[in-house]
Every structure is written in C-alpha cells, then in structure tokens.
Amino acid sequence: MAGIGIDIGSTATKAVVADPSGAIAFKLVIPTGFSSVEVAEQVRCSLACEGFGAGEMPVVIGNRRILQTIGHEP
C-alpha cells in the first residue's frame, strides 16, 4: 500500500513516501525550527514539488504518543 508518513519532532521533521511495493519513493529530513505550522507547509510544498499531492494517498502523522491516519481507505 502506498502512503505518506510525517513526523514533526521538536528538532527535526521527517517525511517519507512509500510506493505500493513498500519501497521508499521519497524522503525528507529538515529542522523543525520554531513553528510546526511553517515546517508543515514546507513539507507540503516539498511533497507537491515531487508530485505527491494531497488526497492521492493515505497520510500517517504522529508523535511518541499518538498516531493518526488521514486519507481514504483503499
């Protein structure tokens, strides 16, 4: 199953896109900085520039305490 995983941590933000076979198609690691809102927009723009638009595949976001899936069921 293809999907996007995003982790906005206190020091670094990571994003990964897995293709339908589970192989990593794209990965991104950037400093979080002071604003999680700004870094989330940077991640969105980076994904869009690579051709991974919103709504195309499920997105999993989380931190150490929660995990949430956003997107459609296959």
Side-chain angles (χ1 to χ4, degrees):
M1 173 191 197
I4 300 171
I6 302 170
D7 174 26
I8 299 177
S10 60
T11 60
T13 294
K14 292 137 322 250
V16 65
V17 177
D19 69 15
S21 72
I24 294 175
F26 173 78
K27 66 180 178 178
L28 174 73
V29 179
I30 56 176
T32 298
F34 294 105
S35 172
S36 60
V37 173
E38 288 178 15
V39 78
E41 180 62 15
Q42 290 175 351
V43 170
R44 189 197 65 74
C45 289
S46 294
L47 289 167
C49 286
E50 294 295 323
F52 304 108
E56 292 180 13
M57 59 184 69
V59 177
V60 177
I61 59 172
N63 59 31
R64 285 180 239 164
R65 294 175 294 280
I66 62 166
L67 188 64
Q68 181 177 357
T69 302
I70 303 168
H72 54 278
E73 292 295 320

